[in-house]
Amino acid sequence: MSIDLKQELNSKQNHDVSEYINKVLSLIEKEEVNEADAAWITKETVDGFREHVNPGFLAYRKTVTKDGQFAAVEWSDNGSCFKDVNGKEYIDCLGGFGIYNVGHRNPKVVKAVTDQLKRQALHSQDLLDPLRAMLAKILADITPGDLKYAFFTNSGTESVEAALKLAKMYSERTTFISTTRAFHGKSLGSLSGTAKGMFRKPFLPLIPGFRHVPFGDIDMMKKTFEVCASVGEDVAAVILEPIQGEGGIILPPENYLKQVRELCDQYGSLLIFDEVQTGMGRTGKMFAAELYDVVPDIICLAKAFGGGVMPAGAIVAREDVFKSWFPNPFMHTTTFGGNPLACAAAIATIGVLIDEKLPERAGEVGEYFLEELKKAARGHEDKVQEIRGQGLMIGIEFHQDEIGYEVSKGMFDRGVLVAGTLINSKTIRIEPALTIRYEEVDQVVSTFREVLEQVKA
């Protein structure tokens, strides 16, 4: 191919790409899209996932037909709900796996981010950035016990990675204890603590030194500590979700977390609480650690930390743990962690949670939600095994995975989004915005009752 012909083809390609970009930007600019726009967006979305993102995702979308003629493509959101591109509204009881604690596009969070964007979006990386300092102070004030120093991330798995590295530097030990059914993320270190085999096997060997014990079994935890000490592999830290989210909304047995805390103190090990899902008011307290009166040495935050507007996460640790990073603060860094927009979102989010008493509200509404779901399930014991939860973190466990999937699909068809845990529908989760109205709760319960009556055991 001649140089001239190649340049001509490149020029045409760039022109086509530019036209496509302009069309997409014009759609983003529109407050409302018409029927033709919606059809184009749907087709481009399905085709784009099939050809350029990952066709595997289409198999997990309940409404995507084989020829792509119909699919639910989300387009806008507000409060406890979102709308698809065709204008159908859904009550969001998945909540981005626990992102939208203060609601979709909370106006106070949006305003804080927009105001910051008018002045500065990202920081130079060299000068001191004020919002990071201010957010760290706020976290020191609101987190349990003597947690004091913060490191900021962009996601949950990054928070877990930071916590694991900090624990290693603190004691130079390399053994970690995690639990069965745990989910801590999918990057290499976090995945080492995650328990689900199907996520782990393709990437073995993972980070060495991880032991998994049954969640809630304090005797096995104690024996593992004893064995590790006897063979010279002392435990650096135990990493736990106070309430297991992806594992199926599993609550800890009474006093279990306190007993783990005592074991960590006895053996000089750190206790890491992964509160990526349970934090920021979800369980009825700002942090689930408060529910169980246990203070961890490191707490991991993300998901709802950015208010459902910005990706943001953090770890907060005691000073004597964190100070191993004092001599060289560049031992662990991230370019975008703690950027001005994310910090503005997190500060506003914490303000909304406190001022509107959303953690307390989550406890009250969650108790009502849980009881109403249990009432709706009466007479369907052949389908529903258990309904459990804490605050607005509720799990509905079915006897069979197929029943859970049919219930999820039936509720989705009727305008309520729920989803399984760890791509398994045997337990579906209810994690709506903490701002969800009682009328919306009643609508979800009514839909659940209606679908449950129609699904066969």
Side-chain angles (χ1 to χ4, degrees), residues 367-381 384 387 442 445-446 448-449 452-453:
E367 185 176 351
Y368 174 79
F369 209 154
L370 189 63
E371 289 306 311
E372 292 301 306
L373 287 169
K374 287 180 178 179
K375 290 178 187 176
R378 287 174 187 165
H380 298 284
E381 289 78 10
V384 179
I387 301 178
D442 291 338
V445 172
S446 176
F448 174 63
R449 181 184 292 109
L452 202 56
E453 288 172 353

Side-chain angles (χ1 to χ4, degrees), residues 307-339:
V309 174
M310 292 297 299
I315 64 167
V316 192
R318 294 193 344 248
E319 181 173 1
D320 63 316
V321 174
F322 199 94
K323 69 180 182 182
S324 59
W325 283 357
F326 286 178
N328 185 353
F330 299 102
M331 286 301 295
H332 184 69
T333 57
T334 167
T335 300
F336 297 112
N339 70 73

Side-chain angles (χ1 to χ4, degrees), residues 157-425:
T157 195
E158 290 180 60
S159 293
V160 172
E161 293 283 352
L164 297 176
K165 289 180 73 174
L166 183 58
K168 280 193 169 189
M169 281 199 69
Y170 169 71
S171 66
E172 298 184 355
R173 298 180 182 182
T174 59
T175 302
F176 290 87
I177 299 177
S178 184
T179 59
T180 55
R181 305 184 77 165
F183 184 84
H184 298 295
K186 293 177 185 170
S187 54
L188 212 57
S190 303
L191 187 58
S192 302
T194 293
K196 195 168 180 70
M198 69 169 293
F199 294 144
R200 293 167 55 87
K201 284 181 181 178
F203 307 106
L204 295 174
L206 297 171
I207 304 299
F210 278 80
R211 313 284 184 92
H212 286 81
V213 302
F215 182 79
D217 188 337
I218 194 64
D219 290 332
M220 185 60 74
M221 179 77 74
K222 183 178 180 181
K223 288 175 182 176
T224 304
F225 263 103
E226 291 171 352
V227 169
C228 289
S230 68
V231 299
E233 297 177 5
D234 294 292
V235 176
V238 174
I239 181 166
L240 289 171
E241 301 158 89
I243 298 171
Q244 291 190 319
E246 298 292 338
I249 316 298
I250 308 299
L251 278 66
E254 188 176 359
N255 292 323
Y256 172 68
L257 297 178
K258 282 190 174 183
Q259 291 170 320
V260 174
R261 172 75 272 181
E262 290 168 3
L263 281 173
C264 288
D265 292 340
Q266 180 183 343
Y267 285 90
S269 306
L270 299 181
L271 177 59
I272 302 170
F273 271 2
D274 178 348
E275 293 228 32
V276 169
Q277 268 198 62
T278 57
M280 313 314 295
R282 170 64 53 189
T283 65
K285 296 287 186 180
M286 186 69 83
F287 307 101
E290 299 172 78
L291 281 172
Y292 301 102
D293 194 24
V294 175
V295 178
D297 301 295
I298 306 172
I299 195 168
C300 301
L301 305 171
K303 291 195 183 298
F305 188 64
V309 174
M310 292 297 299
I315 64 167
V316 192
R318 294 193 344 248
E319 181 173 1
D320 63 316
V321 174
F322 199 94
K323 69 180 182 182
S324 59
W325 283 357
F326 286 178
N328 185 353
F330 299 102
M331 286 301 295
H332 184 69
T333 57
T334 167
T335 300
F336 297 112
N339 70 73
L341 295 178
C343 287
I347 290 168
T349 297
I350 295 168
V352 170
L353 288 166
I354 293 173
D355 293 345
E356 300 182 15
K357 295 181 170 56
L358 291 185
E360 295 89 335
R361 188 177 192 279
E364 295 166 5
V365 177
E367 185 176 351
Y368 174 79
F369 209 154
L370 189 63
E371 289 306 311
E372 292 301 306
L373 287 169
K374 287 180 178 179
K375 290 178 187 176
R378 287 174 187 165
H380 298 284
E381 289 78 10
D382 57 333
K383 302 169 189 175
V384 179
Q385 182 170 323
E386 185 183 14
I387 301 178
R388 56 182 175 265
Q390 174 66 44
L392 283 170
M393 188 175 184
I394 298 171
I396 306 172
E397 184 171 354
F398 300 92
H399 288 290
Q400 297 174 15
D401 184 83
E402 293 77 12
I403 296 173
Y405 178 79
E406 289 302 320
V407 171
S408 295
K409 189 177 186 305
M411 293 182 73
F412 183 82
D413 291 341
R414 291 163 176 80
V416 177
L417 177 63
V418 297
T421 51
L422 280 183
I423 64 168
N424 182 338
S425 295

